[in-house]
Amino acid sequence: MATHHPTTAVLSARHAGLVGCSRCANVSPMGTTHCPTCGSRLFSRYPRSLQLVWAWWLAGLIAYIPANLFPMLITDTITSHDASTIIGGVIELIHYEDYFVAAVVFLASVVIPIAKFVAVAYLAMMVQMRRNDQPHRLHRLYEIVEFIGRWSMIDVFVVAILTSLVQLNVIAQIHPGAAAICFAISVIATMISAMCFDPRLLFDVTEGHKND
Ligand SMILES: [Zn+2]
């Protein structure tokens, strides 16, 4: 099935005795410490890439737990005090028939973070187990993770927008709860985790397979 992919033609810079610059893509002889073109530090592979990926991944996962248990939004009106968690908020939005906002919040704060945890763990595990049967699929997955990373903060923005919208209403006052901080920490930690992953490690696994 995968025979039409030219996987056997993969030649990494490291294999050719070169080191690539991750900033400007220029290649220099192995052992060069700084890029002669842009001056940034050169690493054939980021040092301790996987350890850092797992450390930040775990930090993100730990922060994600209180992000779901603590209230995300605290609404105060003259007569009531209401605190809702992420899931509680989604249920409330559905109750008020705000299906679109409910879907956005659910997607941004549940589906995307969990998908990202799974995807990063899968990439790291494939490299650790030296399994890269489908290098193109793993690279595609890495690209998706990178793309999602740019939109991860969307939920924090949703909370900020909701807060400012309701703030205009003099009857109700709305504050972000403790979960908002935990969520932001979780998003930042998973973002760093994904950034620590050196996609060039996927080349090594492919080459390892070829030599087996
Ligand atoms: Zn450079």
Side-chain angles (χ1 to χ4, degrees):
M1 201 182 97
T3 45
H4 60 280
H5 289 310
T7 51
T8 47
V10 170
L11 176 68
S12 70
R14 171 179 268 192
H15 212 74
L18 299 164
V19 53
C21 175
S22 49
R23 196 160 137 203
C24 70
N26 196 15
V27 286
S28 312
M30 188 68 85
T32 314
T33 53
H34 288 83
C35 175
T37 311
C38 72
S40 58
R41 282 286 303 274
L42 292 179
F43 295 109
S44 182
R45 301 291 179 267
Y46 301 144
R48 303 188 312 278
S49 172
L50 288 183
Q51 285 100 314
L52 290 168
V53 168
W54 281 119
W56 286 106
W57 183 88
L58 195 66
L61 191 69
I62 290 168
Y64 189 65
I65 297 163
N68 280 283
L69 298 178
F70 289 135
M72 191 69 159
L73 286 177
I74 298 163
T75 321
D76 277 317
T77 63
I78 302 162
T79 52
S80 71
H81 173 84
D82 188 44
S84 56
T85 58
I86 292 173
I87 293 297
V90 170
I91 293 166
E92 219 164 296
L93 285 164
I94 292 168
H95 182 76
Y96 290 117
E97 294 181 353
D98 270 333
Y99 299 120
F100 178 73
V101 184
V104 170
V105 173
F106 186 72
L107 200 73
S109 48
V110 179
V111 178
I112 292 174
I114 290 174
K116 210 175 159 187
F117 281 126
V118 173
V120 171
Y122 182 73
L123 283 171
M125 265 161 47
M126 286 295 121
V127 170
Q128 263 169 336
M129 289 157 58
R130 304 196 67 77
R131 275 190 56 190
N132 195 358
D133 308 330
Q134 293 138 326
H136 289 266
R137 262 169 75 178
L138 287 185
H139 272 282
R140 184 77 40 82
L141 183 66
Y142 174 75
E143 278 165 20
I144 293 168
V145 169
E146 243 200 340
F147 178 79
I148 289 172
R150 294 174 210 161
W151 298 94
S152 298
M153 274 299 182
I154 201 165
D155 194 76
V156 179
F157 288 126
V158 168
V159 173
I161 290 163
L162 280 180
T163 312
S164 55
L165 277 180
V166 185
Q167 215 69 268
L168 300 172
N169 183 345
V170 283
I171 306 162
Q173 275 215 321
I174 191 160
H175 324 277
I181 297 159
C182 300
F183 190 86
I185 292 169
S186 173
V187 167
I188 291 165
T190 33
M191 234 181 210
I192 299 172
S193 168
M195 275 162 59
C196 289
F197 184 81
D198 192 333
R200 293 173 294 189
L201 290 169
L202 296 171
F203 298 150
D204 299 344
V205 182
T206 313
E207 282 178 351
H209 256 268
K210 208 171 56 180
N211 299 335
D212 282 348

